[in-house]
Amino acid sequence: EEMRDRTLVNKPLHPLLFAAYPVLFLFAQNLNEDVSFEDVMWPLVACLAVAGVVYGIAAGLLRSSHKGALVTTTLVLLFFSYGHILDLFSGRTVFSNDGILLPIWGALAVYLIFRIVRSDRDPARLSGNLNLIALVLIALNLVPILLHHPAAIAADTGPLAIPGVEDVPDEAKRDIYYLIFDRYPNPQTFENLYHFDNSDLFDFLEEKGFYIARDTLANHLKTQHSLASSLNLRYLNYLHDDAAGADDDQTPVQQLLQNYKLERYLKSLGYRSIHLGSWFPPTLEDYAADDNFRFNSWSQFSSRLLETTMWRGVRRELGIRDPFDFWVIQRKHALYQFEKLKEIKELPGPKFVFAHFLLPHPPYVFDRNGGFIDHEPVDMDKPRMFEQLRYTNKRMKEMVSDLLAGPDETDPIIVIQSDEGPHPPRYQATEDFFDWTTATRAELGEKLRILNTYYLPGVDQDRLYPSISPVNSFRLIFDLYFGADMPLLKDRSFVFHDWHHLYDFTDVTDRLRPERSRAGESGANE
């Protein structure tokens, strides 16, 4: 028995192996998303460290490394399985209630630990079996992680002169703000679908001199695609060939959110590039920006991992709003961005500022006055969305007033857009496999009709038109302010098939707007 205990196979390593497994499992399930090594490393180290401490304490109290290991593994498995069980029974049985499942899990932990302590069976043999099970589980996730090679497309990173522009005098270089409010609905959506009066914001913007393009459609379906298109001033149809074989890999489109053409164009004119990051990993940072400002918080990966654990139930039952809670992170990021934008305004120019606000995007954490909305389940999201929307409107008006507080001759160029509209209800039920090519006209309208507003000081608004889309925003601005030779593209909208066919694009413009757009017929595939 003593000789067997000394073999590596029967060493009680399973507590650490099972502690590492949930992190590796979550990573393996999200290989095609923008999860960095740092996002995974710190939760992995934390899980191993806590499991090691518990293991040491249990082994010392029981005077047995094997029994201490069994107790630790029991606690690890119960702790990390809690959220999965809660989700499995969500809304269907009594086990979907923290007030019921949490005591059951606690009682189960006490019972199993009692059985381990009182057992006379040889724990070394069980340790060997648990080691083997844990190693197999880790291997099943580690192999795809090690074999995963993110798809990449050829990147042009050099200087990029604006076509037709040789020199621009300094006095003509106004600061430029490109501000994205995620899933902000279009005026038509408010009026025809939500029956919500949002005229207060729209009237405010028009009074300030903004042009509201009320018939705008997003060029692409989701955040990464939409921003990759507008920031590079082109459609993404070419990715169908360039990203062939990587149908569900988001890497090719996410690459286009770094060192993008708009940034390179403006840098060629001497602009300073400033990136105000969100909690959404693809827009967290821009490595090519001159300045990156971001709120340093627990990563989305770590928050998602914690939501699978028993801490999720303990926190909610005790009413704790901890720094790991994703609802708290949503609030802190948004508040940081609004305050930081005030500081960025004072930085010397000319500067180009890109900011991606995850508002009114869920989770819905703000009431209309900025108070915290609890994240207990509710029957409908719309009332909560409208509360967060009202708060977003309030902060947006403050932001615009602040940006336009100086002399008229120093007013910046401001483009405020949404990247996509809210999700239609049917999509929320089957998100990964929802076929957008079969979406109804109403569903496409809710998703693709977006907010699109422009403050263009010193130029005639007659050059703008109601259906101008984001792909043409900076083509037009470069023409109006710098005399660029960048013809407008035909305003078109494309959807991908589903999340497993991200580059299989279908043009749905005519389903939403049968009449021809104002821009020319050529260039839709550029």
Side-chain angles (χ1 to χ4, degrees), residues 62 155 325 354 513:
L62 299 175
D325 183 354
F354 173 78
R513 187 187 297 124

Side-chain angles (χ1 to χ4, degrees), residues 48 55 102 124 157 200 231 268 281 286 298 302 320 341 367 388 390 399 411 451 470 502 509 514 523:
L48 292 174
Y55 179 18
L102 204 57
T157 59
D200 179 59
L231 291 171
S268 74
D286 170 18
W298 202 250
S302 298
I320 298 174
L341 198 61
D367 66 21
Q388 185 148 292
R390 288 185 174 98
M399 175 188 71
D411 277 351
L451 176 71
L502 295 174
T509 315

Side-chain angles (χ1 to χ4, degrees), residues 206-236:
E206 289 180 328
E207 288 171 4
K208 287 291 185 179
F210 278 76
Y211 177 88
I212 300 177
R214 294 178 179 271
D215 197 25
T216 289
L217 297 177
N219 300 116
H220 288 276
L221 188 64
K222 297 290 290 181
T223 298
Q224 296 96 312
H225 295 72
S226 179
L227 293 182
S229 174
S230 63
L231 291 171
N232 289 282
L233 289 70
R234 67 182 302 187
Y235 291 99
L236 304 183

Side-chain angles (χ1 to χ4, degrees), residues 334-351:
L335 295 172
Y336 170 86
Q337 288 178 300
F338 283 121
E339 293 307 311
K340 198 67 182 180
L341 198 61
K342 296 178 182 178
E343 299 176 24
I344 290 173
K345 178 195 172 187
E346 304 305 322
L347 296 177
K351 55 183 178 287

Side-chain angles (χ1 to χ4, degrees), residues 358-375:
L358 271 297
L359 291 176
H361 186 291
Y364 303 124
V365 298
F366 291 103
D367 66 21
R368 67 187 67 192
N369 298 314
F372 188 87
I373 297 181
D374 202 349
H375 48 74

Side-chain angles (χ1 to χ4, degrees), residues 131-381:
N131 285 344
L132 181 60
I133 293 171
L135 284 170
V136 170
L137 290 173
I138 285 180
L140 290 174
N141 290 279
L142 198 57
V143 169
I145 291 172
L146 295 176
L147 294 179
H148 178 67
H149 297 288
I153 56 176
D156 181 9
T157 59
L160 196 61
I162 301 175
V165 179
E166 295 183 2
D167 187 33
V168 177
D170 289 343
E171 59 270 18
K173 299 176 186 176
R174 295 177 181 267
D175 288 350
I176 301 174
Y177 290 84
Y178 189 27
L179 310 174
I180 302 297
F181 284 83
D182 207 300
R183 297 193 196 172
Y184 200 106
N186 178 275
Q188 291 188 38
T189 303
F190 281 116
E191 182 178 351
N192 300 329
L193 188 61
Y194 296 161
H195 307 293
F196 179 87
D197 184 3
N198 202 49
S199 59
D200 179 59
L201 176 71
F202 299 141
D203 291 345
F204 169 85
L205 290 175
E206 289 180 328
E207 288 171 4
K208 287 291 185 179
F210 278 76
Y211 177 88
I212 300 177
R214 294 178 179 271
D215 197 25
T216 289
L217 297 177
N219 300 116
H220 288 276
L221 188 64
K222 297 290 290 181
T223 298
Q224 296 96 312
H225 295 72
S226 179
L227 293 182
S229 174
S230 63
L231 291 171
N232 289 282
L233 289 70
R234 67 182 302 187
Y235 291 99
L236 304 183
N237 304 55
Y238 70 96
L239 289 180
H240 183 267
D241 295 325
D242 289 4
D247 292 345
D248 63 347
D249 191 343
Q250 298 183 43
T251 306
V253 69
Q254 289 174 355
Q255 283 181 318
L256 297 173
L257 302 180
Q258 302 288 319
N259 197 36
Y260 42 85
K261 283 188 175 181
L262 175 56
E263 181 176 52
R264 291 159 61 204
Y265 281 140
L266 290 170
K267 279 188 171 185
S268 74
L269 296 181
Y271 273 79
R272 176 182 183 178
S273 175
I274 299 175
H275 184 90
L276 183 54
S278 71
W279 55 254
F280 181 53
T283 58
L284 183 67
E285 287 186 319
D286 170 18
Y287 73 84
D290 296 304
D291 300 284
N292 272 284
F293 297 104
R294 52 172 286 195
F295 179 75
N296 293 314
S297 69
W298 202 250
S299 72
Q300 187 180 14
F301 179 88
S302 298
S303 295
R304 194 181 304 175
L305 178 67
L306 270 178
E307 282 297 295
T308 69
T309 71
M310 192 180 294
W311 175 244
R312 167 180 170 180
V314 172
R315 182 195 69 220
R316 293 199 299 204
E317 285 300 297
L318 298 180
I320 298 174
R321 293 175 187 161
D322 63 87
F324 312 129
D325 183 354
F326 190 60
W327 272 251
V328 174
I329 290 174
Q330 164 82 331
R331 287 179 58 84
K332 289 185 175 180
H333 264 281
L335 295 172
Y336 170 86
Q337 288 178 300
F338 283 121
E339 293 307 311
K340 198 67 182 180
L341 198 61
K342 296 178 182 178
E343 299 176 24
I344 290 173
K345 178 195 172 187
E346 304 305 322
L347 296 177
K351 55 183 178 287
F352 165 69
V353 181
F354 173 78
H356 179 205
F357 294 85
L358 271 297
L359 291 176
H361 186 291
Y364 303 124
V365 298
F366 291 103
D367 66 21
R368 67 187 67 192
N369 298 314
F372 188 87
I373 297 181
D374 202 349
H375 48 74
E376 288 299 319
V378 293
D379 293 332
M380 293 181 62
D381 279 339

